């Protein structure tokens, strides 16, 4: 499989990393005349040898063929064998491709940025059909797609008029197998055991397992093909984390020098739990004759995540439940303008339990029919997909001492360590004895809970036709495509919340609810108790979540989109002497109807009538022309060029009509914050140019340049708004007030350069037979900054998802059944969109990552064990940390480590 990946580099004075330097050296070497002269052409009468390629090289060569044969600029992944994409999810595999980068969530690669744009700008398809998402928005969470059930992925970096559901930054098409493409019955099984280097914590073991089985067969004289695949994953959630209250701010604090940035709080935690995923894939393909092919494909997955964060937390902002004296700092040192070390005096630490239980269900089914007639092909495709997310979030708080008292205050030695865990060492007390930690009367109350629910449903129908070119048109065109696609999508979110209140007068947690204590020594604290949070809430407390309180009304919404896309495309095929020209040009006409239904709170209305509906939306049409040209030159050189107008529809949560509305008691002006159902999409013009040199289907080197002009961007802004329909009966003396919401604003430009190569090293010398490399280096730059007053990290920030440099490198060896590879994916700092405590997206700077994976294995190719393969994997070899910050590296927000994962397993195919 091609694990070429993302990386960015093109400044004149840029200091290349070893990965990028190596990639550049290979490109230069292969372009050198000396190497070209060394190539030889076999004699015309030489015998043709038949070589069966398998394993790593087979996947690489299949992916190179996809890239070479495409009329668009694409990247591709192809499984080296059914069920043998090596990664836990497809996200890790995709993240190794040129121009792409992954963002880790809870230690797992989950979302993908294409060419420096956030996941909101790309679209994910499954077998050519747009997919729903269990998140609040459009971007697919790739860790829910088992790599074992996919045969490959194609990433379209340039669109064509016939590509439905295309994204602005790129379109990712996940593909399942076609059973009639196999020559015989095939059964493949995989099993792997997993162990995490962090070791067992609390109630969570450090081991897990993976299992998959795929069955492919053909019946009725190879007119009927069936493929069924099942994949199971059970993986421990183990993490060591620290976090800072955001934002860092400059304000006077006792003992802190003026002008020093400080935080209102700090916490350390051990996170334990599990991920369980069961995925099922099915394909039935019927081809009774050459004229008709009918195929039904289905995908379903259930993803369960459960974890408990057992944490030690200190409020440093002066809030100690009314206890005096207030917090004071001594022995303060600084790192730049930020506090570095200090003693925090008179603080009131808490021991907390934060429990999360989430279940995601995805269902997708599609039916495709293709009929070939004389000079014409008709395609009809109908599909349905649905995603649901059920989530439970519970919080328990424990305090030292039965009541708030000065005797419970502590002094804490603090050290805010950039690039490492901060430490917070208590000087007066220990917090390991659960009998001394009480449930009642903490400074944050007994707890709080949420039960978010999301449902996303998409129905679509496509009818298309291809007409072969005839007469004089055959000189320039191979054929013409026309078609129409209708998609109906509806996404709803509800988020009941509420306080968790004590029942009676319990003191400490009963021993029957306690787990093994967790060690927070990495943050200088020692051990703290861990407990069963749901059981404690169920036995000592009352939790009655609601979504009808005034401050919760706007968190529930429904967004609906009905999109009709018509397209026409001409497929170019013409020769200019020795130069071939392939490609297409055409146009999509995309008509969108979008609306949202929600509620708002009117505090002036009579009791029982304060919740009022709000409906809003709009319609618009976009015309999206596109041109793709691929020029085939001598010696297997290809030059590609593409021009297009592109759009990306707004984030779904931005399209909500929900709002928080009120009228000032002082100025009597109305005001609100919320969504905007009248948003236009992001719109852009794009230019792409690439050069690709192929060596059959065994190797290639490539260089690509892209330029995008975003005509519009969506910013959160505060504008004057007419609240006429909201103010009747209120005390407002004007209909006009400020509304803070997403609005369309000016865009800007972004550009990038991508270098990539896939090379078996026996091209240079037979001594290196079996060795090979895949690598890429990319550089992105953007003139766009985000002006987001809701962002805690500043009002002018880079584009979310944009890493200026992304590097990927894989070295592999495969020969005589033995295979090994080591892969690196590295990206520079970027702004990530992270889910915060309020279950909403917030923007934070993320420190660039350098993740290294290793794999070694042996496949028995003959004898009684033929078909058996053994494999040992080590993921995240360096235990690379995940770190976020406030805008300056010395203002750390999060520092997390998830351990390295070792997997040992076997596969068997027959």
């Amino acid at each position: 499989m091609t694990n070429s990946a993302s990386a960015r580099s093109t400044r004149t004075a840029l200091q290349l990393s070893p990965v990028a330097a190596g990639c550049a050296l290979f490109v230069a070497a292969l372009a050198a005349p000396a190497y070209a002269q060394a190539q030889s052409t076999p004699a015309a009468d030489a015998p043709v040898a038949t070589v069966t390629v398998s394993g790593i090289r087979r996947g690489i060569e299949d992916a190179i063929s996809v890239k070479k044969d495409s009329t668009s600029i694409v990247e591709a992944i192809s499984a080296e064998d059914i069920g043998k994409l090596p990664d836990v999810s497809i996200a890790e595999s995709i993240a190794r491709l040129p121009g792409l980068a992954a963002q880790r969530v809870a230690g797992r690669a989950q979302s993908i940025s294409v060419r420096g744009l956030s996941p909101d700008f790309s679209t994910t398809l499954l077998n050519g059909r747009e997919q729903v998402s269990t998140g609040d928005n459009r971007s697919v969470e790739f860790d829910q797609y088992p790599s074992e059930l996919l045969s490959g992925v194609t990433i379209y970096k340039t669109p064509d008029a016939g590509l439905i559901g295309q994204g602005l930054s790129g379109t990712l098409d996940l593909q399942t197998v076609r059973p009639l493409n196999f020559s015989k019955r095939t059964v493949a099984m995989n099993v792997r055991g997993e162990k995490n280097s962090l070791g067992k914590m609390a109630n969570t073991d450090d081991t897990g397992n993976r299992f998959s089985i795929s069955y492919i067969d053909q019946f009725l004289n190879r007119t009927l093909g069936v493929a069924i695949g099942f994949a199971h994953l059970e993986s421990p959630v183990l993490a060591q984390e620290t976090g800072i209250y955001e934002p860092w701010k400059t304000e006077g604090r006792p003992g802190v020098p003026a002008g020093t940035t400080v935080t209102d709080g700090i916490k350390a935690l051990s996170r334990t739990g599990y991920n369980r995923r069961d995925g099922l894939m099915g394909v039935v393909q019927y081809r009774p004759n050459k004229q008709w092919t009918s195929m039904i494909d289905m995908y379903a997955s259930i993803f369960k995540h459960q974890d408990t964060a057992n944490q030690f937390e200190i409020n440093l902002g002066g809030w100690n439940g009314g206890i005096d004296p207030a917090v004071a700092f001594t022995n303060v040192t600084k790192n730049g303008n930020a506090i570095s070390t200090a003693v925090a005096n008179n603080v009131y630490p808490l021991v907390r339990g934060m429990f999360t239980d989430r279940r995601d269900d995805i269902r997708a089914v599609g039916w495709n029919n293709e009929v070939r007639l004389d000079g014409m092909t008709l395609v009809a495709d109908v599909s349905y997909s649905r995603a649901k997310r059920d989530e439970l979030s519970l919080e328990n708080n424990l305090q030292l001492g039965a009541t708030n008292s000065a005797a419970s205050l502590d002094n804490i030695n603090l050290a805010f360590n950039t690039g490492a865990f901060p430490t917070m060492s208590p000087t007066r007390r220990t917090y390991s004895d659960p009998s001394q930690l009480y449930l009642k009367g903490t400074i944050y109350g007994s707890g709080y809970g949420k039960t978010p629910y999301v449902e996303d449903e998409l129905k679509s129908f496509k009818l298309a036709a291809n007409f072969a070119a005839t007469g004089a048109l055959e000189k320039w065109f191979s054929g013409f495509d026309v078609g129409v696609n209708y998609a109906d999508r509806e996404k709803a979110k509800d988020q009941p919340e509420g306080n968790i209140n004590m029942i009676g007068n319990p003191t400490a947690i009963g021993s029957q609810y306690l787990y093994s204590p967790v060690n927070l020594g990495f943050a200088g604290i020692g051990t703290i108790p861990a407990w069963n949070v749901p059981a404690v809430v169920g036995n000592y407390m009352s939790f009655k979540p609601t979504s009808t309180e005034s401050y919760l009304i706007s968190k529930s919404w429904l967004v609906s989109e009905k999109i009709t896309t018509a397209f026409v495309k001409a497929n170019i095929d013409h020769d200019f002497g020795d130069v071939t020209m392939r490609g297409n040009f055409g146009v999509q006409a995309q008509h969108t109807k979008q609306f949202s239904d929600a509620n708002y709170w009117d505090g002036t209305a009579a009791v029982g009538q304060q919740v009022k509906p709000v409906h809003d939306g709009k319609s618009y049409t976009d015309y999206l022309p596109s041109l793709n040209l691929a020029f085939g030159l001598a010696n297997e050189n290809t030059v590609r060029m593409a021009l297009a107008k592109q759009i990306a529809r707004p984030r779904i949560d931005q399209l909500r009509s929900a709002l928080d509305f009120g009228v000032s008691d002082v100025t009597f002006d109305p005001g609100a914050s919320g969504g905007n159902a009248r948003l236009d999409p992001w719109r852009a013009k794009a230019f792409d140019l690439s050069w690709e040199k192929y060596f059959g289907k065994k190797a290639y080197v490539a260089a690509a340049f892209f330029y995008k002009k975003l005509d519009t961007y969506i910013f959160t802004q505060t504008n004057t708004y007419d609240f006429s329909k909201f103010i009747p009966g209120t005390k407002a003396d004007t209909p006009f007030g400020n509304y803070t919401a997403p609005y369309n604003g000016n865009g800007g430009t972004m550009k990038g350069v991508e270098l990539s190569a896939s090379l078996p090293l026996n091209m240079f010398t037979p001594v290196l037979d079996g060795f090979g490399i895949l690598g890429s280096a990319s550089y992105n730059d953007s003139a766009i900054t985000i002006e987001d007053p809701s962002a805690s990290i500043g009002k002018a920030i880079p584009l979310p998802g944009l890493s200026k440099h992304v590097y990927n490198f894989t070295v592999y060896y495969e020969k005589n059944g033995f295979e090994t590879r080591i892969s690196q994916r590295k990206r520079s700092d970027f702004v990530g969109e992270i889910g915060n405590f309020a279950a909403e997206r917030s923007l934070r700077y993320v420190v660039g990552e350098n993740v290294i994976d290793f794999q070694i294995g042996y496949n028995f190719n003959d004898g009684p064990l033929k078909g058996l393969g053994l494999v040992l994997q080590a993921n995240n070899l360096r235990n690379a940390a995940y770190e976020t910050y406030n805008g300056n590296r010395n203002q750390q927000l999060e520092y997390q480590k998830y351990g390295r994962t070792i997997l040992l397993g076997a596969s068997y195919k027959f």
Side-chain angles (χ1 to χ4, degrees):
M1 93 184 202
T2 55
N3 288 356
S4 315
S6 326
R8 322 206 187 273
S9 155
T10 186
R11 292 182 185 160
T12 304
L14 176 65
Q15 291 185 336
L16 293 176
S17 73
V19 173
C23 187
L25 284 173
F26 278 111
V27 172
L30 288 170
Y35 178 76
Q37 293 173 5
Q39 300 302 293
S40 61
T41 302
D45 57 353
V48 178
T50 300
V51 179
T52 300
V53 179
S54 61
I56 296 172
R57 285 183 297 167
R58 175 182 169 182
I60 292 171
E61 292 184 8
D62 287 350
I64 290 175
S65 295
V66 173
K67 183 178 180 71
K68 182 179 181 180
D69 295 340
S70 175
T71 55
S72 301
I73 298 175
V74 305
E75 307 295 343
I77 298 168
S78 182
E80 60 197 64
D81 209 339
I82 179 67
K84 289 194 67 177
L85 282 172
D87 300 296
V88 174
S89 79
I90 199 63
E92 286 93 343
S93 301
I94 294 172
R96 297 193 181 104
L97 294 173
L100 283 80
Q103 177 178 318
R104 287 195 295 168
V105 176
R108 309 185 310 276
Q110 186 180 83
S111 58
I112 299 293
S113 295
V114 181
R115 288 182 155 177
L117 287 167
S118 77
D120 295 320
F121 289 89
S122 62
T123 302
T124 300
L125 314 177
L126 179 63
N127 294 326
R129 308 178 187 101
E130 187 173 355
Q131 289 300 286
V132 290
S133 168
T134 56
D136 293 357
N137 301 290
R138 304 181 190 280
S139 54
V140 165
E141 296 176 328
F142 286 94
D143 54 357
Q144 295 179 358
Y145 290 85
S147 58
E148 297 95 333
L149 300 185
L150 298 174
S151 64
V153 184
T154 302
I155 291 88
Y156 295 89
K157 292 181 174 177
T158 61
D160 71 56
L163 183 61
I164 302 299
Q166 60 195 18
L168 190 150
S169 61
T171 307
L172 297 84
D173 189 10
L174 314 181
Q175 295 140 12
T176 56
V177 299
R178 302 291 183 265
L180 292 181
N181 290 350
F182 287 71
S183 60
K184 61 180 181 179
R185 176 187 300 161
T186 301
V187 179
M189 295 181 289
N190 287 277
V191 61
R192 293 179 191 178
E194 172 184 341
K195 186 174 180 62
N196 189 286
S197 65
L198 291 182
K200 185 175 181 178
M201 300 181 190
N203 66 320
T204 299
D205 205 347
D206 57 353
T207 59
N209 62 82
R210 294 172 62 183
F211 170 79
S212 69
I213 182 168
S214 299
Y215 168 81
I216 301 169
D217 210 345
Q218 303 80 32
F219 305 93
L220 302 180
N221 197 25
R222 294 191 55 80
T223 61
L224 178 67
V226 175
I228 301 173
F230 171 78
H232 170 78
L233 165 73
E234 182 156 357
S235 180
V237 172
L238 296 167
Q240 297 172 335
E241 306 178 20
T242 51
I244 310 296
Y245 287 15
E246 43 185 315
W248 285 74
K249 50 192 176 183
T250 303
E251 62 178 32
R253 297 285 180 85
V256 177
T260 304
T261 59
V262 294
T263 176
D264 283 339
I266 185 171
K267 62 185 177 182
L269 61 96
S270 171
R271 189 179 302 277
T272 60
Y274 64 82
N275 290 313
R276 291 179 186 146
R277 182 189 63 205
D278 290 303
L280 180 67
M281 173 274 297
V283 180
V284 177
Q285 187 178 14
Y286 181 55
R287 188 169 56 206
N289 50 54
K290 294 182 178 179
Q291 287 72 44
W292 177 38
T293 300
S294 182
M295 186 170 65
I296 297 176
D297 59 89
M298 177 276 293
Y299 173 76
S301 73
I302 297 176
F303 187 95
K304 297 180 180 179
H305 170 91
Q306 187 178 109
D307 74 61
T308 301
N310 299 109
Q311 66 187 46
F312 179 86
E313 184 170 340
I314 313 158
N315 189 301
L316 300 173
W319 174 249
N320 285 314
I323 301 172
D324 291 327
V327 175
F329 293 84
T330 56
N331 302 333
V332 175
T333 66
K334 296 170 62 176
N335 176 11
N337 67 330
I339 191 170
S340 177
T341 63
V343 178
N345 301 279
N346 305 320
V347 297
Y348 193 6
L350 292 179
V351 176
R352 311 183 83 175
M354 312 286 287
F355 174 80
T356 300
D357 188 8
R358 172 172 167 171
R359 174 183 168 123
D360 297 340
D361 289 284
I362 297 175
R363 303 286 187 271
V365 61
W367 182 25
N368 183 278
N369 285 273
E370 182 179 290
V371 179
R372 296 178 180 269
L373 306 174
D374 290 338
M376 181 173 64
T377 301
L378 300 177
V379 175
D381 188 279
V382 61
S383 65
Y384 172 82
S385 59
R386 186 189 69 190
K388 290 184 178 181
R389 181 181 100 220
D390 280 292
E391 193 169 353
L392 171 65
S393 174
L394 300 173
E395 166 199 328
N396 277 165
N397 301 316
L398 306 183
Q399 66 175 16
L400 186 69
T403 59
N404 294 352
S405 67
S408 300
L409 298 177
D410 206 340
N411 296 339
I412 308 290
N413 290 318
L414 299 171
F416 298 92
N417 302 316
T418 302
F421 288 113
T423 57
M424 52 209 87
S425 304
T427 63
R428 293 183 180 177
R429 319 185 190 287
T430 62
Y431 295 83
S432 59
D433 185 355
S435 67
Q436 300 301 310
L437 295 167
Y438 291 81
L439 286 163
K440 185 178 180 181
T442 76
I443 63 174
Y444 290 141
S446 302
Y448 195 78
K450 307 182 184 73
T451 58
Y453 174 81
V454 171
E455 183 169 358
D456 194 358
E457 188 176 61
L458 175 62
K459 295 167 282 189
S460 67
F461 174 75
K462 177 182 177 181
L463 186 63
N466 172 267
F467 302 93
T470 58
L473 293 176
E474 289 185 84
K475 182 178 179 181
W476 289 92
F477 303 102
S478 61
F480 304 90
D481 291 293
V482 296
V484 62
N485 187 88
Y486 176 76
D488 186 345
R489 184 173 192 172
E490 188 171 276
K491 188 155 194 166
K493 181 180 181 182
D494 190 24
Q495 187 163 310
E497 302 180 13
N499 289 316
I500 298 175
N501 300 312
M502 300 295 298
I503 298 175
N505 190 31
T507 54
I509 294 176
S511 60
Q512 69 270 31
Y513 304 124
L514 293 173
Y515 298 137
S516 299
V518 297
N519 189 350
L520 303 184
F522 62 89
I525 296 165
T527 60
I528 63 170
W531 64 95
N532 186 329
V533 174
V536 168
V537 171
N539 285 274
Y540 299 131
M541 302 176 181
S542 171
F543 174 48
K544 297 179 179 179
T546 178
S547 56
T548 59
E549 291 289 341
S550 60
Y551 68 99
L552 298 174
I553 294 297
S554 65
K555 293 189 176 184
S556 299
W557 44 263
L558 179 146
V559 172
S560 178
E561 295 176 323
K562 302 180 188 300
I563 301 171
T564 304
T565 304
F567 66 89
V568 58
K569 180 178 70 170
N571 301 302
I572 302 169
D573 191 353
H574 182 73
D575 294 342
F576 297 95
D578 293 334
V579 177
T580 65
M581 181 177 68
R582 297 178 298 118
N584 55 75
F585 70 89
V587 63
Q588 276 191 4
Q590 190 175 110
H591 180 68
T592 301
K593 293 182 179 180
Q594 63 190 34
F595 65 86
S596 174
D597 287 299
N599 295 300
Y600 72 98
W601 179 267
D602 182 357
T604 65
V607 175
Q609 301 178 16
Q610 294 101 328
V611 178
K612 294 185 176 180
V614 55
H615 174 91
D616 202 4
K618 69 176 298 184
S619 300
Y620 56 86
T621 301
D622 283 282
Y623 297 94
L624 307 173
S626 61
L627 168 69
N628 289 276
L629 294 176
F631 297 94
L633 309 178
N635 299 318
E636 292 192 280
N637 286 279
T638 300
V639 174
R640 301 180 192 272
M641 184 193 73
L643 294 167
K645 287 185 69 175
Q646 300 173 289
I647 66 168
R649 297 193 295 280
R651 282 176 20 198
I652 291 181
D653 67 336
Q654 292 177 327
L655 288 172
R656 71 193 191 279
S657 59
L659 74 162
D660 289 312
F661 171 75
V663 178
S664 169
D665 291 329
V666 178
T667 63
F668 304 109
D669 295 335
S673 63
N676 183 357
R678 294 179 175 268
L679 281 172
D680 286 328
W682 288 287
R683 294 186 172 103
K685 302 179 182 72
F687 170 73
D688 289 81
L689 184 67
S690 78
W691 164 79
E692 300 157 10
K693 164 64 177 172
Y694 292 93
F695 304 88
K697 63 177 183 178
K698 297 182 181 299
Y700 82 94
V701 293
F705 168 79
F706 73 90
Y707 176 88
K708 292 184 185 292
K709 182 181 183 300
L710 273 73
D711 298 320
T712 64
Y713 203 86
I714 297 173
F715 303 92
T716 299
Q717 304 172 49
T718 300
N719 291 335
T720 301
Y721 186 84
D722 185 352
F723 290 98
S724 296
K725 64 182 179 181
F726 299 99
I727 64 172
T730 70
K731 58 190 173 185
D733 59 8
T734 174
F736 299 101
N738 290 331
Y739 187 39
T740 300
Y743 289 96
N744 293 103
N746 294 326
T749 61
M750 66 177 302
K751 55 182 181 283
V753 170
E754 300 164 356
L755 305 176
S756 60
S758 175
L759 305 169
L761 296 186
N762 61 5
M763 297 176 63
F764 298 93
T765 171
V767 175
L768 296 177
D769 185 44
F771 287 94
I773 63 166
L774 304 96
S776 66
S778 306
Y779 170 74
N780 285 340
D781 195 17
S782 172
I784 305 171
T785 57
I786 306 301
E787 299 176 5
D788 191 345
S790 67
S792 63
I793 60 177
K795 293 187 178 181
I797 60 176
L799 275 177
L802 178 72
S803 284
K804 288 200 169 183
H805 305 99
V806 181
Y807 307 114
N808 278 263
F809 197 51
T810 295
V811 179
Y812 66 87
Y813 176 78
E814 180 184 35
K815 194 171 184 179
N816 299 325
F818 178 80
E819 59 182 40
T820 184
R821 69 182 108 194
I822 186 166
S823 300
Q824 176 202 42
R825 48 188 173 91
K826 182 178 180 181
R827 66 183 302 186
S828 58
D829 292 10
F830 63 100
V831 171
E833 296 172 305
I834 314 297
N836 61 19
F837 178 72
E840 298 169 347
R841 299 201 332 179
S842 63
L843 301 175
R844 301 175 194 165
Y845 283 92
V846 181
V847 174
E849 297 180 326
N850 185 1
V851 178
I852 297 176
D853 301 324
F854 172 75
Q855 177 176 314
I856 187 170
Y858 183 80
N859 296 304
F860 294 88
N861 295 321
D862 49 39
L865 297 179
K866 182 179 180 180
L868 176 65
L870 305 176
V871 64
L872 172 67
Q873 288 178 262
N875 295 335
N876 191 18
L877 267 175
R878 300 171 56 252
N879 190 14
Y882 173 83
E883 183 177 4
T884 65
Y885 58 97
N886 195 62
N888 297 310
R889 283 284 191 97
N890 61 359
Q891 298 175 6
Q892 187 186 72
L893 290 175
E894 296 165 299
Y895 192 84
Q896 304 172 357
K897 286 200 169 185
Y898 302 98
R900 65 185 57 83
T901 301
I902 307 298
L903 298 106
L904 177 64
S907 62
Y908 185 59
K909 176 186 173 184
F910 61 92

